[in-house]
Amino acid sequence: QMLAIAPNKETECRETIKKICDSFAVSPIARDILETASHINGGATGGIELAKGHATNKHATDDPYFLQPMEGIDGTGYRASWWTQFYCILWRSWLSVLKDPMLVKVRLLQTAMVASLIGSIYFGQVLDQDGVMNINGSLFLFLTNMTFQNVFAVINVFSAELPVFLREKRSRLYRVDTYFLGKTIAELPLFIAVPFVFTSITYPMIGLKAGVSHYLTTLFIVTLVANVSTSFGYLISCASSSISMALSVETA
């Protein structure tokens, strides 16, 4: 993200990139890489001859320091297979989720507090005329809470990573579908846990129909609503060029 060139900030980003590259050039890691590259080039007949004979030299193509030739690897122009791209994106996205555990805790705590509040308002409903109307109101809050909470939770996901995605996509590191699926599946456990916490608190407090099957049916529907809302938030995030535009579209 630091090395990406953001739209409308090209000059600032290029200055930042230059500072990072200059700092890396004098670092111990850069010196180790230079020594390794010099050692590899020194073991061949020469740098130019090694580059020319790389495609036909089996020993050179097996060396991990050289990129493999495109022919016979992937006819679509990608050096990695679909599953390799998907695995790497999934693993990177999952690490991003784990790096911010406080955000997960805050979302779960927020869900528990809202569920407790709704459960307290509609606590212990009975099946009379007033109770049926109150239960309808509570079910409406089920839908609205799961909808808006999950839409706003992902509204900045793709907008914030757009410069990085465009740079890596132009470098043909991965496909669009592998990126989208990897990001979505990495965040899927959280979007299942939130409806579970919400339903598990409000369902018994409101006094909805008893029975494991009825509870599981409600949980399944609420989970579907939450994930559909998440997909809609992804749609707005992908269609917006910035976070501010995404928020404007969402609030409209």
CSV table of all heavy atoms in Angstrom, one decimal, residues 202-223:
chain,number,residue,atom,x,y,z
A,202,THR,N,-31.1,-12.1,21.2
A,202,THR,CA,-32.4,-11.5,21.1
A,202,THR,C,-33.5,-12.6,21.0
A,202,THR,O,-34.6,-12.3,21.5
A,202,THR,CB,-32.5,-10.7,19.8
A,202,THR,OG1,-32.1,-11.4,18.7
A,202,THR,CG2,-31.6,-9.4,19.9
A,203,TYR,N,-33.2,-13.7,20.4
A,203,TYR,CA,-34.3,-14.7,20.2
A,203,TYR,C,-34.9,-15.2,21.6
A,203,TYR,O,-36.2,-15.1,21.7
A,203,TYR,CB,-33.7,-15.9,19.5
A,203,TYR,CG,-34.8,-16.9,18.9
A,203,TYR,CD1,-35.2,-16.7,17.6
A,203,TYR,CD2,-35.3,-17.9,19.7
A,203,TYR,CE1,-36.2,-17.5,17.1
A,203,TYR,CE2,-36.3,-18.7,19.1
A,203,TYR,CZ,-36.7,-18.6,17.8
A,203,TYR,OH,-37.7,-19.4,17.3
A,204,PRO,N,-34.2,-15.6,22.6
A,204,PRO,CA,-34.8,-16.0,23.8
A,204,PRO,C,-35.3,-14.8,24.6
A,204,PRO,O,-36.3,-14.9,25.4
A,204,PRO,CB,-33.7,-16.7,24.6
A,204,PRO,CG,-32.4,-16.2,24.0
A,204,PRO,CD,-32.7,-15.8,22.6
A,205,MET,N,-34.7,-13.6,24.5
A,205,MET,CA,-35.2,-12.5,25.3
A,205,MET,C,-36.5,-12.0,24.8
A,205,MET,O,-37.4,-11.7,25.6
A,205,MET,CB,-34.1,-11.3,25.2
A,205,MET,CG,-32.8,-11.6,25.9
A,205,MET,SD,-31.7,-10.2,25.9
A,205,MET,CE,-32.6,-9.0,26.9
A,206,ILE,N,-36.7,-12.0,23.5
A,206,ILE,CA,-38.0,-11.5,23.0
A,206,ILE,C,-39.1,-12.6,23.3
A,206,ILE,O,-40.3,-12.2,23.4
A,206,ILE,CB,-37.9,-11.2,21.5
A,206,ILE,CG1,-36.9,-10.1,21.3
A,206,ILE,CG2,-39.3,-10.9,20.9
A,206,ILE,CD1,-36.6,-9.8,19.8
A,207,GLY,N,-38.7,-13.8,23.3
A,207,GLY,CA,-39.7,-14.9,23.6
A,207,GLY,C,-40.3,-15.4,22.3
A,207,GLY,O,-41.5,-15.7,22.2
A,208,LEU,N,-39.4,-15.5,21.2
A,208,LEU,CA,-39.9,-16.0,20.0
A,208,LEU,C,-40.1,-17.5,20.1
A,208,LEU,O,-39.8,-18.1,21.1
A,208,LEU,CB,-38.9,-15.7,18.9
A,208,LEU,CG,-38.6,-14.3,18.6
A,208,LEU,CD1,-37.6,-14.1,17.5
A,208,LEU,CD2,-39.9,-13.5,18.2
A,209,LYS,N,-40.7,-18.1,19.1
A,209,LYS,CA,-41.2,-19.5,19.2
A,209,LYS,C,-40.1,-20.5,19.6
A,209,LYS,O,-39.0,-20.5,19.0
A,209,LYS,CB,-41.7,-20.0,17.8
A,209,LYS,CG,-42.5,-21.3,17.9
A,209,LYS,CD,-43.2,-21.5,16.6
A,209,LYS,CE,-44.1,-22.8,16.7
A,209,LYS,NZ,-44.8,-23.1,15.4
A,210,ALA,N,-40.4,-21.2,20.7
A,210,ALA,CA,-39.4,-22.1,21.3
A,210,ALA,C,-39.1,-23.3,20.3
A,210,ALA,O,-40.0,-23.7,19.6
A,210,ALA,CB,-39.8,-22.6,22.6
A,211,GLY,N,-37.9,-23.9,20.4
A,211,GLY,CA,-37.5,-25.0,19.6
A,211,GLY,C,-36.2,-24.8,18.9
A,211,GLY,O,-36.0,-23.7,18.4
A,212,VAL,N,-35.4,-25.8,18.9
A,212,VAL,CA,-34.1,-25.7,18.2
A,212,VAL,C,-34.3,-25.4,16.7
A,212,VAL,O,-33.6,-24.6,16.1
A,212,VAL,CB,-33.3,-27.0,18.5
A,212,VAL,CG1,-31.9,-26.9,17.7
A,212,VAL,CG2,-33.0,-27.1,20.0
A,213,SER,N,-35.2,-26.1,16.1
A,213,SER,CA,-35.4,-26.0,14.6
A,213,SER,C,-35.9,-24.6,14.3
A,213,SER,O,-35.4,-24.0,13.3
A,213,SER,CB,-36.4,-27.0,14.1
A,213,SER,OG,-37.7,-26.8,14.8
A,214,HIS,N,-36.7,-24.0,15.1
A,214,HIS,CA,-37.2,-22.6,14.8
A,214,HIS,C,-36.0,-21.6,15.0
A,214,HIS,O,-35.9,-20.7,14.2
A,214,HIS,CB,-38.4,-22.3,15.8
A,214,HIS,CG,-39.5,-23.2,15.6
A,214,HIS,ND1,-40.3,-23.3,14.5
A,214,HIS,CD2,-40.1,-24.0,16.5
A,214,HIS,CE1,-41.2,-24.2,14.6
A,214,HIS,NE2,-41.1,-24.7,15.9
A,215,TYR,N,-35.2,-21.9,16.0
A,215,TYR,CA,-34.1,-21.0,16.3
A,215,TYR,C,-33.1,-21.1,15.1
A,215,TYR,O,-32.6,-20.1,14.6
A,215,TYR,CB,-33.4,-21.4,17.6
A,215,TYR,CG,-32.0,-20.8,17.7
A,215,TYR,CD1,-31.8,-19.4,18.0
A,215,TYR,CD2,-30.9,-21.6,17.5
A,215,TYR,CE1,-30.5,-18.9,18.1
A,215,TYR,CE2,-29.6,-21.1,17.7
A,215,TYR,CZ,-29.4,-19.8,17.9
A,215,TYR,OH,-28.2,-19.2,18.0
A,216,LEU,N,-32.8,-22.3,14.7
A,216,LEU,CA,-31.8,-22.5,13.6
A,216,LEU,C,-32.4,-21.9,12.3
A,216,LEU,O,-31.6,-21.3,11.5
A,216,LEU,CB,-31.5,-24.0,13.4
A,216,LEU,CG,-30.8,-24.6,14.5
A,216,LEU,CD1,-30.6,-26.1,14.2
A,216,LEU,CD2,-29.4,-24.0,14.7
A,217,THR,N,-33.7,-22.0,12.1
A,217,THR,CA,-34.3,-21.3,10.9
A,217,THR,C,-34.1,-19.8,10.9
A,217,THR,O,-33.7,-19.2,9.9
A,217,THR,CB,-35.8,-21.7,10.8
A,217,THR,OG1,-35.9,-23.1,10.7
A,217,THR,CG2,-36.4,-21.1,9.5
A,218,THR,N,-34.4,-19.2,12.1
A,218,THR,CA,-34.2,-17.8,12.2
A,218,THR,C,-32.7,-17.4,12.0
A,218,THR,O,-32.4,-16.4,11.3
A,218,THR,CB,-34.7,-17.3,13.6
A,218,THR,OG1,-36.0,-17.7,13.8
A,218,THR,CG2,-34.5,-15.8,13.7
A,219,LEU,N,-31.8,-18.2,12.6
A,219,LEU,CA,-30.4,-17.9,12.5
A,219,LEU,C,-29.9,-18.0,11.0
A,219,LEU,O,-29.2,-17.2,10.5
A,219,LEU,CB,-29.6,-18.9,13.3
A,219,LEU,CG,-28.1,-18.8,13.3
A,219,LEU,CD1,-27.6,-17.4,13.7
A,219,LEU,CD2,-27.4,-19.9,14.1
A,220,PHE,N,-30.5,-19.0,10.3
A,220,PHE,CA,-30.1,-19.2,8.9
A,220,PHE,C,-30.6,-18.0,8.1
A,220,PHE,O,-29.8,-17.4,7.2
A,220,PHE,CB,-30.7,-20.4,8.4
A,220,PHE,CG,-30.5,-20.7,6.9
A,220,PHE,CD1,-29.2,-21.0,6.4
A,220,PHE,CD2,-31.5,-20.6,6.0
A,220,PHE,CE1,-29.0,-21.3,5.1
A,220,PHE,CE2,-31.3,-20.8,4.7
A,220,PHE,CZ,-30.1,-21.1,4.2
A,221,ILE,N,-31.8,-17.5,8.3
A,221,ILE,CA,-32.3,-16.4,7.6
A,221,ILE,C,-31.6,-15.1,7.9
A,221,ILE,O,-31.2,-14.3,7.0
A,221,ILE,CB,-33.8,-16.2,7.9
A,221,ILE,CG1,-34.6,-17.4,7.3
A,221,ILE,CG2,-34.4,-14.9,7.2
A,221,ILE,CD1,-36.1,-17.4,7.7
A,222,VAL,N,-31.3,-14.9,9.2
A,222,VAL,CA,-30.5,-13.7,9.6
A,222,VAL,C,-29.1,-13.7,9.0
A,222,VAL,O,-28.6,-12.7,8.5
A,222,VAL,CB,-30.5,-13.5,11.1
A,222,VAL,CG1,-29.6,-12.4,11.5
A,222,VAL,CG2,-31.9,-13.3,11.6
A,223,THR,N,-28.5,-14.9,8.9
A,223,THR,CA,-27.2,-15.0,8.3
A,223,THR,C,-27.2,-14.7,6.8
A,223,THR,O,-26.3,-14.0,6.3
A,223,THR,CB,-26.6,-16.4,8.6
A,223,THR,OG1,-26.6,-16.6,10.0
A,223,THR,CG2,-25.2,-16.5,8.0
